[in-house]
Amino acid sequence: MIVILLGPPGAGKGTQAKRLEEKYGLVQLSTGDMLRAERKSGSALGRKVQAIMDAGQLVSDDIIIDMIADRIDRAGGKGLILDGFPRTVPQAEALDRMLAAKGQTLDRVIEMTVDEKALIERIAGRFSCARCGASYHDRNHRPKAEGVCDSCGSHEFTRRADDNPESVKTRLDAYRRQTAPILPYYRDKGILRQVDGMADMDSVTRQIETILNSQ
Ligand SMILES: [Zn+2]
């Protein structure tokens, strides 16, 4: 089974991918991680990638396709969750050709849809205890006693610098730009499915499982 999971930052894609790995034995393939691992390995391909990146150039689609092909071979029949690739129609077509050459197909593209305004509110209100890491939210999960952590009694809290409405909006815009071109491609192929990314984590997992079990 080969699946692409699409979801904007903050929608819980990482959590869902981890659950799919555990339940279906899928291997998550992030292109960013793959490139870093390849460089670190010092392989011939890794040295080539290093040189390209040192020169400030983008790694070509061919190289990324080769890397994915290599991972498919090494996965020994295990399924994959692709993350971060493809982002353009030519990349999607190249991926299809490579998979076809291996007698495989992309089974499903699952998009976690979100209400952007609600997501911005959800992310931008997050804060956590500086001592124990317990998480809170301005609107719907404040400490029971104002300014005191429920779990450890600490009075110090922290907020991630990029968890503000402007940064979240920038990340959402980037995500929309990256996925917009490939959604119609997969919709036309009849393999695009959507889940409600604003639902709670367990419900999203159930929606994804229903999609994967019904093919
Ligand atoms: Zn605490």
Side-chain angles (χ1 to χ4, degrees):
M1 177 158 51
I2 300 176
V3 176
I4 293 175
L5 188 59
L6 299 171
K13 189 179 66 168
T15 304
Q16 298 301 337
K18 191 158 287 161
R19 290 181 178 183
L20 293 179
E21 287 188 310
E22 282 159 12
K23 172 131 190 187
Y24 295 92
L26 301 175
V27 179
Q28 190 181 5
L29 265 194
S30 135
T31 35
D33 291 347
M34 251 184 332
L35 286 169
R36 276 187 289 278
E38 203 68 56
R39 272 158 64 191
K40 229 171 138 186
S41 76
S43 67
L45 184 57
R47 288 194 300 275
K48 202 166 150 191
V49 167
Q50 179 80 56
I52 293 166
M53 292 174 98
D54 285 349
Q57 287 166 345
L58 282 177
V59 177
S60 71
D61 294 351
D62 288 348
I63 288 181
I64 293 178
I65 291 281
D66 281 351
M67 277 184 352
I68 296 173
D70 179 55
R71 295 305 168 102
I72 290 174
D73 294 342
R74 279 197 271 158
K78 277 189 173 181
L80 298 177
I81 307 170
L82 290 177
D83 181 6
F85 189 92
R87 281 180 173 164
T88 64
V89 171
Q91 287 176 350
E93 289 168 346
L95 178 66
D96 282 344
R97 283 194 299 273
M98 180 271 282
L99 291 174
K102 289 185 178 298
Q104 305 212 38
T105 49
L106 181 59
D107 298 285
R108 287 285 179 258
V109 177
I110 300 173
E111 182 195 14
M112 298 172 69
T113 60
V114 296
D115 173 335
E116 295 202 1
K117 230 179 110 200
L119 187 68
I120 288 171
E121 203 166 84
R122 187 202 270 182
I123 300 174
R126 297 191 298 203
F127 63 100
S128 60
C129 171
R131 194 200 284 166
C132 76
S135 32
Y136 296 97
H137 193 278
D138 287 329
R139 195 161 291 207
N140 49 39
H141 185 203
R142 303 193 62 84
K144 289 191 184 75
E146 190 61 38
V148 184
C149 175
D150 294 346
S151 307
C152 74
S154 167
H155 294 265
E156 281 182 58
F157 296 89
T158 59
R159 246 171 233 275
R160 280 178 44 175
D162 56 357
D163 277 356
N164 63 72
E166 269 316 297
S167 301
V168 177
K169 202 172 169 308
T170 306
R171 297 199 300 256
L172 283 173
D173 289 345
Y175 167 77
R176 215 179 316 107
R177 269 199 312 276
Q178 283 159 3
T179 50
I182 57 168
L183 290 176
Y185 177 81
Y186 289 126
R187 189 174 292 122
D188 288 349
K189 284 182 159 294
I191 58 172
L192 179 67
R193 298 289 183 275
Q194 290 171 324
V195 298
D196 174 13
M198 299 308 286
D200 66 82
M201 295 273 190
D202 291 342
S203 160
V204 176
T205 303
R206 281 194 299 274
Q207 292 179 55
I208 294 175
E209 286 176 0
T210 303
I211 289 168
L212 296 182
N213 291 337
S214 69
Q215 41 169 337

mmCIF file of all heavy atoms in Angstrom, residues 123-147:
data_model
loop_
_atom_site.group_PDB
_atom_site.id
_atom_site.type_symbol
_atom_site.label_atom_id
_atom_site.label_comp_id
_atom_site.label_asym_id
_atom_site.label_seq_id
_atom_site.Cartn_x
_atom_site.Cartn_y
_atom_site.Cartn_z
ATOM 1 N N ILE A 123 -3.907 26.981 16.840
ATOM 2 C CA ILE A 123 -2.452 26.964 17.002
ATOM 3 C C ILE A 123 -1.966 28.198 17.755
ATOM 4 O O ILE A 123 -1.117 28.114 18.639
ATOM 5 C CB ILE A 123 -1.744 26.893 15.639
ATOM 6 C CG1 ILE A 123 -2.152 25.626 14.899
ATOM 7 C CG2 ILE A 123 -0.233 26.922 15.820
ATOM 8 C CD1 ILE A 123 -1.615 25.554 13.494
ATOM 9 N N ALA A 124 -2.534 29.363 17.389
ATOM 10 C CA ALA A 124 -1.996 30.599 17.948
ATOM 11 C C ALA A 124 -2.310 30.743 19.440
ATOM 12 O O ALA A 124 -1.697 31.551 20.118
ATOM 13 C CB ALA A 124 -2.525 31.799 17.174
ATOM 14 N N GLY A 125 -3.240 29.950 19.964
ATOM 15 C CA GLY A 125 -3.571 30.068 21.383
ATOM 16 C C GLY A 125 -2.800 29.104 22.270
ATOM 17 O O GLY A 125 -2.978 29.078 23.482
ATOM 18 N N ARG A 126 -1.895 28.313 21.657
ATOM 19 C CA ARG A 126 -1.226 27.279 22.449
ATOM 20 C C ARG A 126 -0.147 27.855 23.356
ATOM 21 O O ARG A 126 0.593 28.747 22.975
ATOM 22 C CB ARG A 126 -0.535 26.267 21.512
ATOM 23 C CG ARG A 126 -1.483 25.514 20.632
ATOM 24 C CD ARG A 126 -0.819 24.359 19.929
ATOM 25 N NE ARG A 126 0.251 24.754 19.024
ATOM 26 C CZ ARG A 126 0.662 24.008 17.991
ATOM 27 N NH1 ARG A 126 0.097 22.844 17.758
ATOM 28 N NH2 ARG A 126 1.628 24.427 17.212
ATOM 29 N N PHE A 127 -0.048 27.326 24.562
ATOM 30 C CA PHE A 127 1.110 27.597 25.395
ATOM 31 C C PHE A 127 1.327 26.396 26.304
ATOM 32 O O PHE A 127 0.467 25.512 26.382
ATOM 33 C CB PHE A 127 0.969 28.909 26.179
ATOM 34 C CG PHE A 127 -0.164 28.961 27.164
ATOM 35 C CD1 PHE A 127 0.062 28.748 28.511
ATOM 36 C CD2 PHE A 127 -1.453 29.254 26.747
ATOM 37 C CE1 PHE A 127 -0.978 28.819 29.441
ATOM 38 C CE2 PHE A 127 -2.506 29.326 27.659
ATOM 39 C CZ PHE A 127 -2.271 29.106 29.007
ATOM 40 N N SER A 128 2.483 26.343 26.930
ATOM 41 C CA SER A 128 2.747 25.170 27.752
ATOM 42 C C SER A 128 3.529 25.536 29.007
ATOM 43 O O SER A 128 4.116 26.620 29.095
ATOM 44 C CB SER A 128 3.511 24.117 26.945
ATOM 45 O OG SER A 128 4.732 24.658 26.513
ATOM 46 N N CYS A 129 3.498 24.645 29.974
ATOM 47 C CA CYS A 129 4.220 24.845 31.221
ATOM 48 C C CYS A 129 5.714 24.759 30.949
ATOM 49 O O CYS A 129 6.182 23.837 30.286
ATOM 50 C CB CYS A 129 3.808 23.772 32.223
ATOM 51 S SG CYS A 129 4.840 23.776 33.708
ATOM 52 N N ALA A 130 6.454 25.736 31.440
ATOM 53 C CA ALA A 130 7.899 25.774 31.179
ATOM 54 C C ALA A 130 8.618 24.662 31.948
ATOM 55 O O ALA A 130 9.704 24.244 31.565
ATOM 56 C CB ALA A 130 8.471 27.132 31.569
ATOM 57 N N ARG A 131 8.003 24.162 33.026
ATOM 58 C CA ARG A 131 8.690 23.142 33.822
ATOM 59 C C ARG A 131 8.349 21.728 33.362
ATOM 60 O O ARG A 131 9.231 20.932 33.068
ATOM 61 C CB ARG A 131 8.358 23.303 35.303
ATOM 62 C CG ARG A 131 9.314 22.489 36.180
ATOM 63 C CD ARG A 131 8.744 22.231 37.565
ATOM 64 N NE ARG A 131 8.803 23.407 38.416
ATOM 65 C CZ ARG A 131 8.134 23.511 39.571
ATOM 66 N NH1 ARG A 131 7.367 22.511 39.986
ATOM 67 N NH2 ARG A 131 8.221 24.605 40.290
ATOM 68 N N CYS A 132 7.050 21.404 33.268
ATOM 69 C CA CYS A 132 6.684 20.001 32.967
ATOM 70 C C CYS A 132 6.181 19.797 31.541
ATOM 71 O O CYS A 132 5.984 18.669 31.111
ATOM 72 C CB CYS A 132 5.652 19.495 33.968
ATOM 73 S SG CYS A 132 3.994 20.126 33.663
ATOM 74 N N GLY A 133 5.967 20.888 30.812
ATOM 75 C CA GLY A 133 5.571 20.732 29.412
ATOM 76 C C GLY A 133 4.081 20.530 29.187
ATOM 77 O O GLY A 133 3.639 20.371 28.049
ATOM 78 N N ALA A 134 3.278 20.522 30.268
ATOM 79 C CA ALA A 134 1.819 20.359 30.105
ATOM 80 C C ALA A 134 1.300 21.421 29.145
ATOM 81 O O ALA A 134 1.719 22.577 29.218
ATOM 82 C CB ALA A 134 1.127 20.487 31.460
ATOM 83 N N SER A 135 0.391 21.028 28.224
ATOM 84 C CA SER A 135 -0.050 22.012 27.241
ATOM 85 C C SER A 135 -1.401 22.621 27.590
ATOM 86 O O SER A 135 -2.282 21.968 28.149
ATOM 87 C CB SER A 135 -0.061 21.421 25.840
ATOM 88 O OG SER A 135 -0.367 20.061 25.875
ATOM 89 N N TYR A 136 -1.522 23.882 27.224
ATOM 90 C CA TYR A 136 -2.728 24.659 27.518
ATOM 91 C C TYR A 136 -3.139 25.451 26.295
ATOM 92 O O TYR A 136 -2.416 25.475 25.290
ATOM 93 C CB TYR A 136 -2.453 25.629 28.684
ATOM 94 C CG TYR A 136 -2.132 24.908 29.970
ATOM 95 C CD1 TYR A 136 -0.813 24.714 30.364
ATOM 96 C CD2 TYR A 136 -3.150 24.404 30.765
ATOM 97 C CE1 TYR A 136 -0.513 24.020 31.527
ATOM 98 C CE2 TYR A 136 -2.859 23.718 31.933
ATOM 99 C CZ TYR A 136 -1.544 23.529 32.310
ATOM 100 O OH TYR A 136 -1.260 22.839 33.450
ATOM 101 N N HIS A 137 -4.311 26.094 26.401
ATOM 102 C CA HIS A 137 -4.777 26.919 25.294
ATOM 103 C C HIS A 137 -5.543 28.107 25.853
ATOM 104 O O HIS A 137 -6.354 27.947 26.772
ATOM 105 C CB HIS A 137 -5.681 26.094 24.378
ATOM 106 C CG HIS A 137 -5.942 26.757 23.069
ATOM 107 N ND1 HIS A 137 -6.901 27.733 22.915
ATOM 108 C CD2 HIS A 137 -5.356 26.616 21.858
ATOM 109 C CE1 HIS A 137 -6.900 28.144 21.664
ATOM 110 N NE2 HIS A 137 -5.973 27.489 20.999
ATOM 111 N N ASP A 138 -5.264 29.284 25.290
ATOM 112 C CA ASP A 138 -5.896 30.513 25.768
ATOM 113 C C ASP A 138 -7.414 30.389 25.886
ATOM 114 O O ASP A 138 -8.019 30.867 26.833
ATOM 115 C CB ASP A 138 -5.623 31.669 24.783
ATOM 116 C CG ASP A 138 -4.184 32.134 24.865
ATOM 117 O OD1 ASP A 138 -3.591 32.039 25.955
ATOM 118 O OD2 ASP A 138 -3.647 32.574 23.828
ATOM 119 N N ARG A 139 -8.022 29.783 24.874
ATOM 120 C CA ARG A 139 -9.461 29.813 24.808
ATOM 121 C C ARG A 139 -10.134 28.621 25.497
ATOM 122 O O ARG A 139 -11.073 28.784 26.252
ATOM 123 C CB ARG A 139 -9.898 29.872 23.347
ATOM 124 C CG ARG A 139 -11.349 30.277 23.202
ATOM 125 C CD ARG A 139 -11.656 30.775 21.830
ATOM 126 N NE ARG A 139 -11.026 32.054 21.539
ATOM 127 C CZ ARG A 139 -11.530 32.909 20.666
ATOM 128 N NH1 ARG A 139 -12.617 32.634 20.021
ATOM 129 N NH2 ARG A 139 -10.914 34.045 20.420
ATOM 130 N N ASN A 140 -9.620 27.410 25.179
ATOM 131 C CA ASN A 140 -10.405 26.266 25.656
ATOM 132 C C ASN A 140 -9.698 25.357 26.658
ATOM 133 O O ASN A 140 -10.221 24.317 27.022
ATOM 134 C CB ASN A 140 -10.905 25.447 24.461
ATOM 135 C CG ASN A 140 -9.765 25.167 23.494
ATOM 136 O OD1 ASN A 140 -8.645 24.901 23.924
ATOM 137 N ND2 ASN A 140 -10.033 25.255 22.203
ATOM 138 N N HIS A 141 -8.517 25.725 27.093
ATOM 139 C CA HIS A 141 -7.869 24.880 28.104
ATOM 140 C C HIS A 141 -6.892 25.700 28.945
ATOM 141 O O HIS A 141 -5.678 25.543 28.855
ATOM 142 C CB HIS A 141 -7.145 23.692 27.430
ATOM 143 C CG HIS A 141 -6.566 22.725 28.415
ATOM 144 N ND1 HIS A 141 -5.520 21.877 28.112
ATOM 145 C CD2 HIS A 141 -6.862 22.488 29.712
ATOM 146 C CE1 HIS A 141 -5.216 21.154 29.167
ATOM 147 N NE2 HIS A 141 -6.010 21.503 30.161
ATOM 148 N N ARG A 142 -7.457 26.593 29.746
ATOM 149 C CA ARG A 142 -6.607 27.401 30.623
ATOM 150 C C ARG A 142 -6.350 26.616 31.910
ATOM 151 O O ARG A 142 -7.121 25.723 32.248
ATOM 152 C CB ARG A 142 -7.310 28.730 30.959
ATOM 153 C CG ARG A 142 -7.704 29.549 29.719
ATOM 154 C CD ARG A 142 -8.086 30.963 30.108
ATOM 155 N NE ARG A 142 -6.969 31.666 30.714
ATOM 156 C CZ ARG A 142 -6.015 32.301 30.032
ATOM 157 N NH1 ARG A 142 -6.056 32.328 28.717
ATOM 158 N NH2 ARG A 142 -5.038 32.910 30.658
ATOM 159 N N PRO A 143 -5.256 26.929 32.613
ATOM 160 C CA PRO A 143 -5.042 26.263 33.908
ATOM 161 C C PRO A 143 -6.244 26.521 34.824
ATOM 162 O O PRO A 143 -6.878 27.581 34.729
ATOM 163 C CB PRO A 143 -3.790 26.951 34.445
ATOM 164 C CG PRO A 143 -3.106 27.536 33.257
ATOM 165 C CD PRO A 143 -4.187 27.881 32.285
ATOM 166 N N LYS A 144 -6.533 25.557 35.706
ATOM 167 C CA LYS A 144 -7.702 25.709 36.590
ATOM 168 C C LYS A 144 -7.556 26.942 37.476
ATOM 169 O O LYS A 144 -8.486 27.709 37.665
ATOM 170 C CB LYS A 144 -7.879 24.455 37.440
ATOM 171 C CG LYS A 144 -8.350 23.258 36.623
ATOM 172 C CD LYS A 144 -8.781 22.097 37.515
ATOM 173 C CE LYS A 144 -9.157 20.874 36.699
ATOM 174 N NZ LYS A 144 -7.955 20.170 36.163
ATOM 175 N N ALA A 145 -6.344 27.108 38.039
ATOM 176 C CA ALA A 145 -6.061 28.340 38.779
ATOM 177 C C ALA A 145 -5.212 29.225 37.878
ATOM 178 O O ALA A 145 -4.179 28.779 37.356
ATOM 179 C CB ALA A 145 -5.307 28.022 40.064
ATOM 180 N N GLU A 146 -5.642 30.451 37.643
ATOM 181 C CA GLU A 146 -4.961 31.341 36.704
ATOM 182 C C GLU A 146 -3.460 31.436 37.015
ATOM 183 O O GLU A 146 -3.063 31.737 38.157
ATOM 184 C CB GLU A 146 -5.612 32.733 36.780
ATOM 185 C CG GLU A 146 -5.171 33.698 35.689
ATOM 186 C CD GLU A 146 -5.502 33.201 34.278
ATOM 187 O OE1 GLU A 146 -6.573 32.600 34.082
ATOM 188 O OE2 GLU A 146 -4.664 33.399 33.370
ATOM 189 N N GLY A 147 -2.635 31.139 36.005
ATOM 190 C CA GLY A 147 -1.197 31.308 36.180
ATOM 191 C C GLY A 147 -0.501 30.201 36.963
ATOM 192 O O GLY A 147 0.679 30.312 37.280
#
